[in-house]
Amino acid sequence: SGRDGLEVLLSSPRGFCAGVVRAIDVVDVCLRRYGPPVYVKHQIVHNPYVVNDLESRGAITVEEVDEVPEGSLVVFSAHGSPPEDFEKAKARNLRVIDAVCPLVTRVHNEAKKYSREGRRVLLVGHRGHQEVRGTMGQVEMTLVDDNVPSELPEWGDGEEIAVLTQTTLSVRDTAYAIDSIKARFPQALVRNDICYATTNRQEAVTKMAHSVDLVLVIGAQNSSNCNRLREVAAAQGVPAYLINGPEEIDPEWMEGKEKVGVTSGASTPEVLVESVIEALAPERVIMLSGVEEDVSFTMPQELR
């Protein structure tokens, strides 16, 4: 009947968001419709379990467009791509199917619109993250790393400024970054682009953190939204760990803990959450209720 007295609280909502479901479906449909190999530029979503599953069925992940053999089919990842990647693909005669999340495309479109209007564009995000690379390629813009928002450009007070954000940031840290930007540029127009899924998962884990002795976030080390979930939980004063699956649980974390909260990021399959719960072997599992998500996105035009 499980470990004496151990309770697992399951956060909700958790796991896959609409953009991730769509991106995985895109590769899936390509594999079934056109057969392998289907090349994927960058991990389709930031989760090794998902990537390995698709690769076992004939997907091949590459980091650069130049690695894709001429004339092949390539899927661009959910995080979005800079225009130069499309240009390179065209030069290599590749057939591109773009699995970018529509909520990331929205940020790209905002960037283009504000740039056309003559505004300077600031992007709050994490340097080097795939989504940031795609967004910064759209138009000229300046990155404000949300870890060090004090470093702002030396623009004059007369400048028209638009502020955009990465979709997977910490809601609270982003609010601080935006406050410091507004303090320096009160005239700035701010678009908070953190998506519904990021917001909902952070809100749910924040609430859950107050009822548990430990939080386990299931997801990959290179997943931005998973890392933010862990940070958000830890900020509530509860020990929080990011693990890929049950094999990464350290028994020492569990000592003297009676209530363990479990959540997962937007790129984490539910099967990994189930295997973690199985490994914890709790006496009971309490499913928390949260915001109902009913978002879904249609497939890219070429696959409809």
Side-chain angles (χ1 to χ4, degrees), residues 107 110-111 114 121-124 141 162-166 191 193:
V107 184
E110 285 168 2
Y114 294 130
V121 181
L122 274 179
L123 176 69
V124 180
M141 64 180 79
V163 182
L164 309 176
T165 77
Q166 189 178 332
R191 289 292 317 219
D193 298 298

Side-chain angles (χ1 to χ4, degrees), residues 18 20 46 112 158 203:
V20 163
H46 286 156
K112 289 184 246 192
E203 205 170 277

Side-chain angles (χ1 to χ4, degrees), residues 57 89 99 101 110 132 229 235 286:
R57 295 166 40 214
C101 174
E110 285 168 2
V132 167
L229 279 177
I286 298 165

Side-chain angles (χ1 to χ4, degrees), residues 19-85:
V20 163
V21 168
R22 175 177 181 267
I24 295 170
D25 282 351
V26 165
V27 180
D28 193 59
V29 168
C30 286
L31 283 166
R32 282 184 289 135
R33 193 176 290 180
Y34 309 115
V38 170
Y39 289 87
V40 182
K41 180 188 65 81
H42 195 76
Q43 290 189 326
I44 186 68
V45 299
H46 286 156
N47 186 276
Y49 183 95
V50 170
V51 171
N52 293 340
D53 181 56
L54 292 168
E55 290 188 343
S56 72
R57 295 166 40 214
I60 298 174
T61 305
V62 299
E63 276 312 310
E64 300 294 337
V65 177
D66 305 337
E67 298 172 61
V68 182
E70 303 227 348
S72 308
L73 172 69
V74 61
V75 175
F76 282 6
S77 83
H79 314 93
S81 305
E84 71 206 41
D85 284 357

